[in-house]
Amino acid sequence: MAEGNWTRVGEFILMSFSSLPTEIQSLLFLIFLIIYLVTLLGNSLIILVTLTDPMLHSPMYFFLRNLSLLEIGFNLVIVPKMLGTLLAWDTTISFLGCAMQMYFSFFFGVAECVLLATMAYDRYVAICNPLHYPVIMNQRTRAKLAVASWFPGFPVATVQTTWLFSFPFCGTNKVKHFFCDSPPVLRLVCADTAMFEIYAIVGTVLVVMIPCLLILCSYIRIAAAILKIPSAKGKHKAFSTCSSHLLVVSLFYVSLSLTYFRPKSNNSPESKKLLSLSYTVVTPMLNPIIYSLRNNEVKNALGRTFHKAFGLRICIP
């Protein structure tokens, strides 16, 4: 399209949940504010205890600390702006602000997919090669794995965001979502986006499916190793070391797949918003809760941390 036929957009309007009554939006604001604060507090506590408690300096908790840091970043990118739109403080977001929000949502999303696969590999080594676990997952190796988990987000986010925001936008500037996600922003483009859509679909499938397949392969090997353990107590102990990670993976991938791999005919803007809430808002809050309530080492470390900081002896059931 010739440049004279379109107007450069300077800002976007996030429609968020504007179709709902004001009273409902106020209630959602309160609910999401509580979830947001719990998310920040829970993940910050995980980072604190895994850094300060000597009992949690194993590779598993090193990767858990990375996951918590990632969840905090993901929330900071999306939730504060969403809270503002719910109270109608400011439903607008600048062109650059929208691009940055999309960039970091891609970056953190890709990083989480890869990091969850890395954590599955860590559990595979711990259960299938327990005697060699300290040697294989030494400090240098886990640092490399952490860097390898964070790095893929940069090229994916850079290519997809730069390409999308190089298109001309015309007509409405209303984004029918609570953050600048790719599909709702793409609908505002007045140009041929066929090549970009093919790239986006292929990229999303690769980014989601390759780590998912690695996780699946790891757990198939883990399950086979657990079944060979003769005692029921040994099987339960081995499974308990994986159960928290497996639950987190299930929550993340189910919500992500329902959001991005549903047929367009069943993918209304309102249903997409609800599904997006599950992996952008709810799952980051549940992760530290799952790891705390299902892991005695983390619960004991939290108790020791509170005792050192405040002189309180807290028993977490």
Side-chain angles (χ1 to χ4, degrees), residues 24-141:
I24 301 297
Q25 291 190 59
S26 299
L27 178 61
L28 288 177
F29 171 84
L30 181 60
I31 293 171
F32 293 148
L33 177 61
I34 293 172
I35 292 175
Y36 177 59
L37 295 176
V38 171
T39 300
L40 294 183
L41 177 61
N43 283 287
S44 297
L45 282 174
I46 291 292
I47 293 172
L48 176 64
V49 297
T50 56
L51 276 173
T52 58
D53 197 295
M55 300 297 293
L56 301 184
H57 286 177
S58 66
M60 180 176 73
Y61 298 111
F62 170 78
F63 293 122
L64 177 58
R65 182 162 65 249
N66 276 264
L67 180 63
S68 292
L69 184 61
L70 189 153
E71 299 290 24
I72 290 174
F74 204 11
N75 260 243
L76 290 174
V77 168
I78 294 174
V79 180
K81 186 63 182 178
M82 181 185 70
L83 293 174
T85 61
L86 283 170
L87 287 189
W89 290 335
D90 186 8
T91 58
T92 63
I93 185 170
S94 68
F95 186 89
L96 179 61
C98 187
M100 294 300 292
Q101 190 180 55
M102 183 182 293
Y103 178 92
F104 283 107
S105 66
F106 280 141
F107 168 72
F108 287 119
V110 172
E112 181 155 0
C113 287
V114 182
L115 183 59
L116 289 173
T118 302
M119 294 173 76
Y121 172 72
D122 171 71
R123 292 297 83 208
Y124 158 73
V125 176
I127 291 175
C128 298
N129 296 284
L131 298 179
H132 298 95
Y133 179 65
V135 178
I136 296 173
M137 299 300 291
N138 57 57
Q139 191 170 0
R140 185 176 180 181
T141 300

Side-chain angles (χ1 to χ4, degrees), residues 13 51 71 77 89 95 141 145 188 201 224 241 288 304 308:
I13 299 174
L51 276 173
E71 299 290 24
V77 168
W89 290 335
F95 186 89
T141 300
L145 287 172
L188 308 181
I201 291 172
T241 65
R304 288 192 295 268
K308 289 179 182 178

Side-chain angles (χ1 to χ4, degrees), residues 12-306:
F12 295 95
I13 299 174
L14 294 174
M15 299 304 292
S16 192
F17 300 95
S18 58
S19 60
L20 298 176
T22 304
E23 295 79 7
I24 301 297
Q25 291 190 59
S26 299
L27 178 61
L28 288 177
F29 171 84
L30 181 60
I31 293 171
F32 293 148
L33 177 61
I34 293 172
I35 292 175
Y36 177 59
L37 295 176
V38 171
T39 300
L40 294 183
L41 177 61
N43 283 287
S44 297
L45 282 174
I46 291 292
I47 293 172
L48 176 64
V49 297
T50 56
L51 276 173
T52 58
D53 197 295
M55 300 297 293
L56 301 184
H57 286 177
S58 66
M60 180 176 73
Y61 298 111
F62 170 78
F63 293 122
L64 177 58
R65 182 162 65 249
N66 276 264
L67 180 63
S68 292
L69 184 61
L70 189 153
E71 299 290 24
I72 290 174
F74 204 11
N75 260 243
L76 290 174
V77 168
I78 294 174
V79 180
K81 186 63 182 178
M82 181 185 70
L83 293 174
T85 61
L86 283 170
L87 287 189
W89 290 335
D90 186 8
T91 58
T92 63
I93 185 170
S94 68
F95 186 89
L96 179 61
C98 187
M100 294 300 292
Q101 190 180 55
M102 183 182 293
Y103 178 92
F104 283 107
S105 66
F106 280 141
F107 168 72
F108 287 119
V110 172
E112 181 155 0
C113 287
V114 182
L115 183 59
L116 289 173
T118 302
M119 294 173 76
Y121 172 72
D122 171 71
R123 292 297 83 208
Y124 158 73
V125 176
I127 291 175
C128 298
N129 296 284
L131 298 179
H132 298 95
Y133 179 65
V135 178
I136 296 173
M137 299 300 291
N138 57 57
Q139 191 170 0
R140 185 176 180 181
T141 300
R142 63 192 190 217
K144 288 181 178 179
L145 287 172
V147 171
S149 299
W150 286 83
F151 177 76
F154 286 108
V156 172
T158 300
V159 172
Q160 190 149 334
T161 305
T162 304
W163 192 352
L164 178 51
F165 280 87
S166 67
F167 286 120
F169 294 88
C170 57
T172 181
N173 63 341
K174 295 180 179 179
V175 178
K176 295 182 179 179
H177 209 357
F178 57 83
F179 75 102
C180 287
D181 198 9
S182 178
V185 174
L186 188 63
R187 295 190 187 101
L188 308 181
V189 171
C190 47
D192 183 7
T193 60
M195 288 299 296
F196 175 82
E197 291 184 57
I198 292 172
Y199 160 79
I201 291 172
V202 173
T204 302
V205 169
L206 291 176
V207 164
V208 173
M209 295 308 298
I210 290 177
C212 188
L213 288 173
L214 291 174
I215 292 170
L216 184 61
C217 290
S218 295
Y219 274 103
I220 289 174
R221 299 291 298 274
I222 288 170
I226 290 176
L227 289 174
K228 293 178 181 178
I229 299 174
S231 67
K233 185 177 180 181
K235 289 179 180 179
H236 180 268
K237 183 178 180 180
F239 177 75
S240 66
T241 65
C242 303
S243 58
S244 297
H245 176 257
L246 193 56
L247 184 55
V248 168
V249 166
S250 301
L251 288 171
F252 179 76
Y253 273 99
V254 168
S255 58
L256 194 67
S257 300
L258 288 175
T259 302
Y260 290 104
F261 296 123
R262 296 177 71 204
K264 283 191 174 181
S265 58
N266 299 329
N267 202 14
S268 68
E270 295 305 318
S271 64
K272 183 173 175 61
K273 289 178 192 176
L274 292 175
L275 290 169
S276 297
L277 283 171
S278 61
Y279 78 90
T280 58
V281 179
V282 178
T283 301
M285 176 194 69
L286 293 177
N287 287 353
I289 295 175
I290 291 170
Y291 274 102
S292 297
L293 296 181
R294 299 181 65 87
N295 190 306
N296 288 328
E297 288 182 335
V298 174
K299 287 190 287 187
N300 293 335
L302 284 170
R304 288 192 295 268
T305 300
F306 278 105

